[in-house]
């Protein structure tokens, strides 16, 4: 009789994936994303120090902005490794690329003194990066982004049940 105890041992890699699947590249992406998130969270803190009267904090805020963009470049590279040789999901690249351009715009708006764009864009950047870093530690990040698609099966792998006799398909569904 099979045991009802589930173990949390390593899962086998998908066929054709390198040993370890997306795990090795996932840990690299997690590390870089945490560094990026930490630097991004530091930006509003440094801005707050500047606004409280310590005007030298503006230079640190500016320096940190450059580090945030550098971390984003590293994150993009780590995301590419996670997707391509690591066989991870593709959307980390699709999140990181626009984030890089948003951070460039953010720096430009800051230097131009356009705080009506700079502040809300900063909130969006920090929120996006923190949510992204949190997702990387959830179980969905460990799943491979590529795999065989089997017709007639749901996402969970269970066979789909045929529609009851006499029922009509909804708009957009196949009969």
């Amino acid at each position: 009789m099979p045991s009802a105890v589930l173990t949390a041992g390593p899962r086998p890699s998908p066929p054709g994936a390198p040993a370890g699947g997306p795990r090795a590249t996932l840990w690299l992406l997690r590390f870089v994303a945490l560094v990026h998130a930490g630097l991004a969270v530091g930006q509003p803190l440094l801005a707050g120090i500047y606004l409280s009267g310590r005007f030298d904090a503006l230079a640190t805020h500016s320096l940190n902005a450059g580090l945030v963009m550098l971390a984003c470049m590293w994150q993009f590279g780590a995301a590419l490794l996670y997707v391509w040789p690591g066989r991870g999901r593709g959307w980390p690249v699709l999140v990181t690329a626009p984030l890089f351009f948003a951070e460039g715009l953010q720096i430009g708006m800051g230097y131009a003194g356009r705080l009506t764009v700079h502040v809300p864009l900063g909130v969006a950047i920090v929120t996006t990066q923190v949510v992204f870093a949190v997702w990387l530690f959830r179980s969905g990040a460990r799943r491979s982004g590529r795999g065989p698609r089997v017709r007639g099966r749901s996402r969970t792998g269970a066979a789909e049940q045929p529609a009851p006799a006499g029922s009509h398909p909804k708009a957009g569904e196949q009969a």
Side-chain angles (χ1 to χ4, degrees), residues 56-83:
D56 58 331
L58 186 59
T60 309
H61 180 73
S62 176
L63 173 67
N64 194 51
L67 294 175
V68 169
M69 283 215 53
L70 182 63
C72 193
M73 287 183 229
W74 281 98
Q75 180 174 303
F76 184 76
L80 283 175
L81 289 174
Y82 168 71
V83 172

Side-chain angles (χ1 to χ4, degrees), residues 71-170:
C72 193
M73 287 183 229
W74 281 98
Q75 180 174 303
F76 184 76
L80 283 175
L81 289 174
Y82 168 71
V83 172
W84 180 47
R87 299 184 60 87
R89 294 178 174 208
W91 74 267
V93 173
L94 299 176
V95 168
T96 304
L99 196 57
F100 176 76
F101 291 106
E103 289 171 1
L105 179 64
Q106 171 75 352
I107 290 173
M109 292 294 108
Y111 279 118
R114 305 288 308 262
L115 297 181
T116 55
V117 176
H118 185 71
V119 172
L121 184 57
V123 170
I125 289 168
V126 171
T127 302
T128 301
Q129 184 57 34
V130 168
V131 168
F132 177 71
V134 167
W135 177 82
L136 289 173
F137 284 90
R138 298 187 48 97
S139 63
R142 288 191 301 265
R143 288 191 218 121
S144 176
R146 300 177 191 143
R149 293 192 174 240
V150 179
R151 291 192 89 120
R153 300 227 175 242
S154 67
R155 289 181 180 247
T156 61
E160 293 178 356
Q161 298 297 322
S167 66
H168 297 284
K170 295 178 185 174

Side-chain angles (χ1 to χ4, degrees), residues 10-83:
R11 295 180 188 163
S13 297
R23 290 186 181 187
T25 55
L26 175 60
W27 277 106
L28 174 66
L29 182 57
R30 284 174 174 168
F31 174 76
V32 174
L34 282 177
V35 170
H36 187 199
L39 290 168
V41 167
Q43 281 298 88
L45 299 176
L46 291 168
I49 293 170
Y50 166 73
L51 293 174
S52 70
R54 290 198 40 211
F55 299 113
D56 58 331
L58 186 59
T60 309
H61 180 73
S62 176
L63 173 67
N64 194 51
L67 294 175
V68 169
M69 283 215 53
L70 182 63
C72 193
M73 287 183 229
W74 281 98
Q75 180 174 303
F76 184 76
L80 283 175
L81 289 174
Y82 168 71
V83 172

